[in-house]
Amino acid sequence: MIYNEKIECANKEDLKNIQSERLVKLAKYIYDNSFVYKQKLDKEGIIPTDIKSIDNITKLPFTYKEDLRDSYPFSLFSTDIKNVAEIHVSSGTTGNPTVVGYTKRDLNLWANVAARSIACAGGNKGDKIQISYGYGLFTGGLGIHYGALRLGATIIPTATGQTKRQIKLMQDFKPRIVACTPSYILYIAEEMKSLGIDPKTSSWEVGIFGSEPWTTAMRDKIDSTLGLTATDIYGLSEIIGPGVAQECTYRQGLHIWSDLFFPEIIDPKTGKSLPEGQAGELVITTLTKQAIPLIRYRTRDIVSITYETCKCGRTVPRISKIKGRTDDMIIVRGINIFPTQIEFALLQIDGTLPNYQLIVDRTPSALDTLEVLVEVDEKLFTDEIKALENLKIKIKRAIDSTVGLGVSVKLVEPKTLTRTEGKSKRVIDKRNLH
Ligand code: DLL
C-alpha cells in the first residue's frame, strides 16, 4: 500500500519544488530561532536570503553529533521548551547523551513518516502489528507505535523481552506484522524452536526490522526461518527516529522520505558531494521539523543512493542498506556503544590499564555478545585468584552500568593486546556485517 501517493510518487520536478520551498523557509526559521545556528551561519557569512532553492543547500554548514552534545540539554532547540511535547535521548560517547525534542507538529510528522514506512513494508489499515522494539527513551517502540496508530493498524505493544509471552501472544492474536531488531526476531525464532514450535507457523507475514546493521544474508535467513518478508527500516533519533527510510516489498534499497529529510551523500573526508551510486556518508537536512531542525546532519552512516524510480512506482530516492559507519560506534543488541565509554568505565578502576579490546560476536541464535579484554597491572597477576576475580566483577559492573548492557570481561596480562601505530583497533567485530 502507498500511504501518500501524491508525495511518494511525485513528479521529480514537483518534489524538487517542495524541497526548495521548504529549505528557503527553514533557513529563515533556524536563523531567527536558533542561537547556535545563527552563530554558525554568521561565521560562514551566510544570510537566509542566500538560500533560494534546494540547490543552494551546500552553502549551509554541516551539523555534527558534537553540536547536539555540546548544547546539552536544550540549547540547540529552535523552540521554547514549553512547546516541546516529547523528549527522547540516545546514547553517545561518555558525558552527555544526545537529547532530541518534538513539538506536537513534529510528533504528527513522525506519525506520518512511520505510517508511510509501515505501509511501504506491506502493511495495511486493519492489520495487527506486534511492536517488539523497546519503548521509552529509545525512539524505536514509540515511533512505530505512532505510525501504526496513524495508519489504522491494531497495535500489540509487546516491547522487548519476555520472549515466551511474545510467542504466546503472537499465536493467540495472530498479528500479520512484527517490528523489532533483526537479531531479536531470530532470537524469537530460536526460542520457538526450543518450545517445539516451528517458526514457519508464525502468523507474521511482514517484518519491519532495523536499528542495527544487518546483511541481505541475514534477511534471507529470517525470511526462510519464519516464512515472512523481512524489510529494512532506517532512522536515527537526531532526525526523528524510525521512519527516515524504508524498504518496499521489492527490497531494492530503502525509500528515503526526501520531501521531509533531504539526503546528500558526501565523501566523509573532504565533505564534497559524491555521484549517484557511490558509497559515502549520508547527510540529512530535516526540512520541516520545529523543535530541533537539523541542517546537513552528518549521520556517519555509509550508504549509496539511487534516484531511479522503483518498480513499486515510488519516485523518492533509495539508499542502500547501511554499509558501515565512519566512526567507531558499534551497535550491540540495539544499544549504541562507543569504545570510549569502555575506556571511561575502566579509568575509574585502579589496577586496569587503558588497553582494552572489544570483541563483538553473534551467537548461532543471533544474539549479539560483547566481550571486553582488559589488560591489568603486572603486579596483580602475581596476586591471588580471588583479587583478580573481584577486579573482574568490579570492571564488569562499571562497564555494564556505563553502556547499559551485560558484557563479559576477560582480564589479560600486560602487552597481550596487539598495538598498532596510530589509531588502535579497539573493536573486533566478528559478526561479518559488511
Ligand atoms: O535506532 C532508530 C530506529 C529504531 C531505527 C527502530 C529503525 C528501527 P538511534 O538509536 O539513534 O535510532 O540509532 C541510530 O542506528 O545512525 C545507524 O547507525 C543505526 N541504524 C538504524 N537503523 C538501521 C538500519 C534508531 N536499518 C543509528 N540498518 C543509525 C543499519 C541502522 N543501521
Side-chain angles (χ1 to χ4, degrees), residues 283-329:
V283 170
I284 301 178
T285 300
T286 63
L287 292 174
T288 64
K289 263 177 71 185
Q290 247 181 346
I292 315 190
L294 293 181
I295 302 282
R296 308 192 77 206
Y297 183 67
R298 303 279 300 251
T299 66
R300 300 184 184 179
D301 290 318
I302 306 285
V303 299
S304 58
I305 198 163
T306 170
Y307 294 90
E308 267 173 38
T309 301
C310 182
K311 283 188 207 145
C312 69
R314 289 180 179 83
T315 50
V316 291
R318 276 169 290 151
I319 54 169
S320 63
K321 274 176 106 61
I322 312 301
K323 298 176 197 282
R325 286 185 56 85
T326 61
D327 62 13
D328 51 6
M329 184 180 92

Side-chain angles (χ1 to χ4, degrees), residues 90 133 138-140 144 209-214 232-238 241-243 254 299 301 322 325 329 331 334 336:
S90 93
Y133 282 113
F138 173 60
T139 53
I144 302 288
F209 307 127
S211 176
E212 63 185 6
W214 58 310
D232 196 352
I233 184 165
Y234 169 77
L236 58 165
S237 319
E238 297 92 310
L254 289 78
T299 66
D301 290 318
I322 312 301
R325 286 185 56 85
M329 184 180 92
I331 302 177
N336 302 348

